[in-house]
Amino acid sequence: MLRASEPSTSTRTPPTFTLTPPTTPVRPQAFETPDFEDRDRESEASAGAPRQNEDSILPTAEESLSWESILPRPCTIQYQRLGSGSSGSNILGSGAWSSVYRATELSPAEAALLPTPPSSPANSRSQSIAGQVLAVKAAARRDAHAILYQEARILTYLHRFRRASSYLVPFHGYDAAYHSLVMDAVPLNLETHAKSCLETAKANFSTGTMFDPVCGLAEWQSLASQLIDGLEFLHEASCVHGDIKPANILLQRSEDGSSDSYRPLYCDFSSSHIVEHASSDASKPLQQVTAISTDFASPELFNSLCSSAGTATTASDIYALGVTLVVVAIGTSPYVGARMEIQKLSMAREGRPLEFARQTGQGTRVMKGKMVEKCLRGALEKEADKRDKIEEWQRTTQSLIDD
């Protein structure tokens, strides 16, 4: 990831503690928020209240809290983070600001055996699914505390909407004592899956499938449709993700357990922004850019980073998802031919990922006039104001799938 500068934490600094592996989390009273399930039940029971369309993500009156009023939802689950182990198998991921560790949920009896018993009683949820594997995202350095706190606020805000569970990794709350986010563990990400599909495609090369994505046409169409729908959800909720890439999309197997059907879930909102009155104008500034993932950054973000006055927008999210879907189609970066990082940077700034993808060993899978190219070309326009809006992209994709 290419970084411009350390983000300022002057306006969002939470209490600081020494970062140590947690024994059991403490329910932070300072961040108490309303019970979401009770609020939803009260909303459904309100006689004569205006009803929202079931397909709408707009909140009910009770859910309409302003972004500025949102505090992180406190984690009430009793859990124990697992050590990294000699192979690092309990580390699910790591980045510049944080690491994600595997953890297990504890039953009340197990929690009572720990050296420091929890101060808050185990809730009914803990009793019913104790033993569930969790993912705990913890700060890797002290100056990341404010970033994780802000991410917890964003996840709390987004999970108020009914459709959130269809597109986001389930979020169980913020552990203020250890500056950690607690979520469901979903071990497989889209980056790993795309690489695996590439290896399989190479081993089973066929002229009959050489024009299809490495994961297969049906799976690519399914992933593209779901991810575009998920991005539409985020943007309607006034959220710009800011760092869409295959590593930040987790794959949950379908409920029937089939290995060829996945539900993609967005994760890692550490670069995200909430704008209460998002403009339909793709060029409207949202928040200054502090870091970008080179392969997935739109041309305007490169220019913004150089001027130190950059902004992430809904248009840059659309571009990043477009490049992500190129990677899913060919199994690797469209800039894989670059010999040095500086050359890759130069290629990415040109805003021609489809053209560079066609020059790779899997270029036939993104040929002009084929499904992938027709679906992505509007989303990958170099100029932001010419790029497809999310609704246009949804319609184009669905039309191509239906043909």
Side-chain angles (χ1 to χ4, degrees):
M1 179 177 281
L2 186 65
R3 298 192 170 277
S5 61
E6 299 287 337
S8 172
T9 61
S10 60
T11 61
R12 42 183 186 136
T13 305
T16 57
F17 301 87
T18 302
L19 185 63
T20 56
T23 52
T24 55
V26 178
R27 182 183 180 93
Q29 299 298 324
F31 302 127
E32 194 69 47
T33 56
D35 185 289
F36 296 166
E37 294 179 1
D38 288 347
R39 186 171 59 197
D40 287 343
R41 286 194 293 271
E42 291 169 5
S43 173
E44 293 295 333
S46 298
R51 299 289 298 185
Q52 297 286 347
N53 186 312
E54 288 300 320
D55 293 330
S56 174
I57 67 160
L58 295 177
T60 61
E62 289 82 359
E63 291 172 322
S64 298
L65 298 175
S66 67
W67 160 243
E68 287 80 4
S69 69
I70 294 295
L71 292 175
R73 183 178 188 174
C75 177
T76 60
I77 295 175
Q78 310 301 331
Y79 69 90
Q80 186 167 36
R81 203 176 83 183
L82 303 178
S84 59
S86 57
S87 64
S89 59
N90 290 322
I91 300 178
L92 298 175
S94 60
W97 302 109
S98 61
S99 295
V100 181
Y101 298 89
R102 196 185 304 268
T104 56
E105 185 170 1
L106 302 177
S107 67
E110 291 171 325
L113 295 176
L114 292 173
T116 306
S119 60
S120 58
N123 56 22
S124 58
R125 183 185 178 284
S126 296
Q127 297 173 16
S128 63
I129 59 171
Q132 178 182 2
V133 179
L134 302 170
V136 177
K137 184 174 184 178
R141 39 198 260 197
R142 186 174 291 276
D143 58 355
H145 293 173
I147 293 173
L148 292 187
Y149 178 83
Q150 184 75 345
E151 183 176 2
R153 289 185 67 214
I154 290 172
L155 291 173
T156 298
Y157 171 81
L158 290 173
H159 278 82
R160 296 180 308 121
F161 299 103
R162 292 184 179 89
R163 288 172 58 198
S165 60
S166 297
Y167 306 116
L168 310 182
V169 175
F171 173 60
H172 300 303
Y174 178 63
D175 181 359
Y178 298 104
H179 310 282
S180 299
L181 282 63
V182 182
M183 302 161 286
D184 274 5
V186 184
L188 180 62
N189 68 39
L190 189 55
E191 180 180 44
T192 300
H193 180 62
K195 290 178 180 178
S196 175
C197 289
L198 174 60
E199 294 306 312
T200 300
K202 287 180 177 179
N204 301 281
F205 176 79
S206 167
T207 55
T209 58
M210 63 185 291
F211 295 101
D212 293 339
V214 293
C215 61
L217 182 58
E219 182 177 301
W220 188 90
Q221 290 175 332
S222 174
L223 290 172
S225 178
Q226 293 180 77
L227 285 168
I228 294 168
D229 286 350
L231 187 57
E232 182 264 346
F233 162 75
L234 291 177
H235 289 177
E236 278 205 40
S238 303
C239 177
V240 172
H241 187 284
D243 194 21
I244 294 174
K245 57 186 177 182
N248 287 342
I249 296 168
L250 304 184
L251 298 180
Q252 190 173 69
R253 295 196 184 278
S254 62
E255 293 182 0
D256 62 9
S258 60
S259 60
D260 58 351
S261 180
Y262 295 98
R263 182 158 64 102
L265 303 171
Y266 286 99
C267 68
D268 193 349
F269 287 77
S270 57
S271 298
S272 301
H273 328 300
I274 298 293
V275 180
E276 292 229 64
H277 303 288
S279 171
S280 58
D281 179 3
S283 64
K284 180 178 176 61
L286 296 179
Q287 184 166 321
Q288 184 170 332
V289 170
T290 56
I292 59 174
S293 295
T294 307
D295 290 26
F296 306 94
S298 61
E300 68 269 17
L301 282 189
F302 281 107
N303 296 334
S304 297
L305 195 65
C306 292
S307 67
S308 300
T311 55
T313 66
T314 54
S316 60
D317 267 1
I318 288 171
Y319 188 93
L321 181 55
V323 180
T324 293
L325 290 170
V326 171
V327 172
V328 178
I330 66 174
T332 188
S333 168
Y335 314 117
V336 68
R339 295 179 181 273
M340 297 180 293
E341 188 65 26
I342 190 66
Q343 184 182 4
K344 182 202 288 188
L345 181 63
S346 177
M347 293 165 71
R349 292 187 65 170
E350 290 186 33
R352 300 185 293 122
L354 281 170
E355 293 182 39
F356 286 117
R358 284 193 282 271
Q359 297 172 21
T360 68
Q362 303 299 319
T364 57
R365 304 182 190 278
V366 290
M367 291 284 287
K368 285 187 176 181
K370 296 296 183 180
M371 170 70 191
V372 173
E373 189 270 342
K374 289 195 289 186
C375 176
L376 300 183
R377 60 190 175 198
L380 292 173
E381 284 283 352
K382 181 175 181 178
E383 296 179 32
D385 58 355
K386 294 182 180 180
R387 214 166 286 154
D388 278 354
K389 305 298 187 290
I390 193 67
E391 297 83 2
E392 296 176 274
W393 197 11
Q394 281 180 309
R395 288 194 297 270
T396 299
T397 302
Q398 194 56 54
S399 176
L400 290 169
I401 291 174
D402 290 343
D403 285 347

